[in-house]
C-alpha cells in the first residue's frame, strides 16, 4: 500500500510539473516578445531589411517551438538552437554589452533533455545578471558528459546576488522548487523528478 501511494504521488507530481511546463510555454515572457517586436518595427522603418528578416526568422522559430512542442524531452541540439535564436535577438538588443559562448561537443547533440530547460536559465542570466550592469557581461553555457551523467552549466559575469538572496533561493530549492519562480522552479521539479541523480545547484559570487 505504501509503495502504491508513493507511485501515485510521483505520478501526481509529474502531471503537476508538465502542467507548469505548459504554462511556461504559453507565456515565453510576453514582455520580452513585445519589446522585441517593437524593436523590429523600428528597425524596419530605418533599413531595407536583411537584419530585420533574420530577427523575424529567429523570433518565429522561438514561437513555433514554444507553441508546437508537446514532448517532454527533445534532443539537446534543438534546445541549443532555441538558445542561439534567443541570444541572437538579445545580441541585437544589447550590442557589444553582451557576449555569449556555447561549449558543447557535437557528440552530445542527440542526448535527450527536458524541453525549455536551458532558455529560462539563459533568460535569467540576461535579465538579472547582464542587463543590470552598465558594462554588460558574458554568458557561458557548458555541457559535458561525465560517466553516465550529463552536466549542464549556465554561468554569467553579471552583478550576482547578495548572500541572503542566494540563501533564500537555496532554501526554496529544498521545498521542491516552491518559491523559486515559475521558470527555475519548474526546471528544479522536472530535473529532480525525471532523474534518479538529477540535481540543480545555484551559486553566486
Amino acid at each position: 500500500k505504501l509503495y502504491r501511494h508513493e507511485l501515485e504521488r510521483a505520478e501526481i507530481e509529474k502531471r503537476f510539473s508538465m502542467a507548469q511546463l505548459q504554462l511556461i510555454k504559453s507565456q515565453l515572457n510576453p514582455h520580452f516578445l513585445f519589446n522585441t517586436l517593437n524593436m523590429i518595427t523600428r528597425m524596419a522603418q530605418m533599413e531595407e531589411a536583411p537584419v530585420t528578416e533574420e530577427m523575424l526568422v529567429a523570433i518565429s522559430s522561438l514561437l513555433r517551438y514554444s507553441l508546437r512542442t508537446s514532448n517532454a524531452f527533445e534532443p539537446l541540439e534543438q534546445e541549443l538552437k532555441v538558445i542561439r535564436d534567443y541570444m541572437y535577438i538579445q545580441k541585437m538588443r544589447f550590442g557589444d554589452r553582451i557576449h555569449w559562448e556555447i561549449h558543447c561537443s557535437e557528440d552530445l547533440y542527440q542526448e535527450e533533455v527536458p524541453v525549455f530547460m536551458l532558455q529560462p536559465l539563459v533568460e535569467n542570466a540576461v535579465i538579472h545578471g547582464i542587463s543590470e550592469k552598465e558594462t554588460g557581461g558574458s554568458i557561458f553555457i557548458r555541457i559535458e558528459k561525465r560517466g553516465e551523467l550529463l552536466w549542464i552549466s549556465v554561468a554569467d559575469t553579471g552583478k550576482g546576488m547578495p548572500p541572503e538572496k542566494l540563501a533564500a533561493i537555496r532554501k526554496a530549492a529544498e521545498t521542491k522548487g516552491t518559491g523559486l519562480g515559475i521558470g527555475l522552479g519548474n526546471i528544479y521539479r522536472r530535473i529532480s523528478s525525471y532523474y534518479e541523480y538529477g540535481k540543480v545547484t545555484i551559486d553566486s559570487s
Side-chain angles (χ1 to χ4, degrees), residues 14 17 33 44 47 50 56 60 65 67 70 105 114 125 128 152 203:
K14 184 177 178 181
S17 181
L33 292 179
E47 65 179 24
L56 283 167
S60 298
Y65 186 58
L67 297 173
S70 57
S105 167
H128 302 297
I152 298 175
D203 294 296

Side-chain angles (χ1 to χ4, degrees), residues 13-26 182 186:
E13 287 181 355
K14 184 177 178 181
R15 289 179 185 175
F16 177 69
S17 181
M18 286 304 297
Q20 287 205 311
L21 172 60
Q22 293 303 322
L23 180 58
I24 289 176
K25 288 163 61 177
S26 71
I182 189 166
N186 188 278

Side-chain angles (χ1 to χ4, degrees), residues 66-81:
S66 169
L67 297 173
R68 291 187 180 176
T69 302
S70 57
N71 299 327
F73 298 86
E74 287 287 346
L76 181 58
E77 182 177 19
Q78 180 59 57
E79 285 291 294
L80 291 176
K81 184 182 184 305

Side-chain angles (χ1 to χ4, degrees), residues 28-29 31-33 36 39 55 57-63 78-94 98 100 116 118-128 131 139 141:
L28 192 61
N29 200 333
H31 185 64
F32 160 70
L33 292 179
T36 302
M39 182 174 62
M55 293 189 70
V57 169
I59 196 69
S60 298
S61 178
L62 274 171
L63 283 169
Q78 180 59 57
E79 285 291 294
L80 291 176
K81 184 182 184 305
V82 169
I83 296 306
R84 291 186 178 101
D85 288 335
Y86 177 80
M87 288 307 299
Y88 173 79
I89 293 167
Q90 295 292 14
K91 182 72 176 172
M92 297 304 297
R93 177 183 172 194
F94 290 103
I98 194 167
W100 62 283
F116 276 101
L118 283 171
Q119 191 273 338
L121 297 176
V122 173
E123 184 171 346
N124 275 354
V126 172
I127 293 173
H128 302 297
S131 68
I139 297 172
I141 298 143

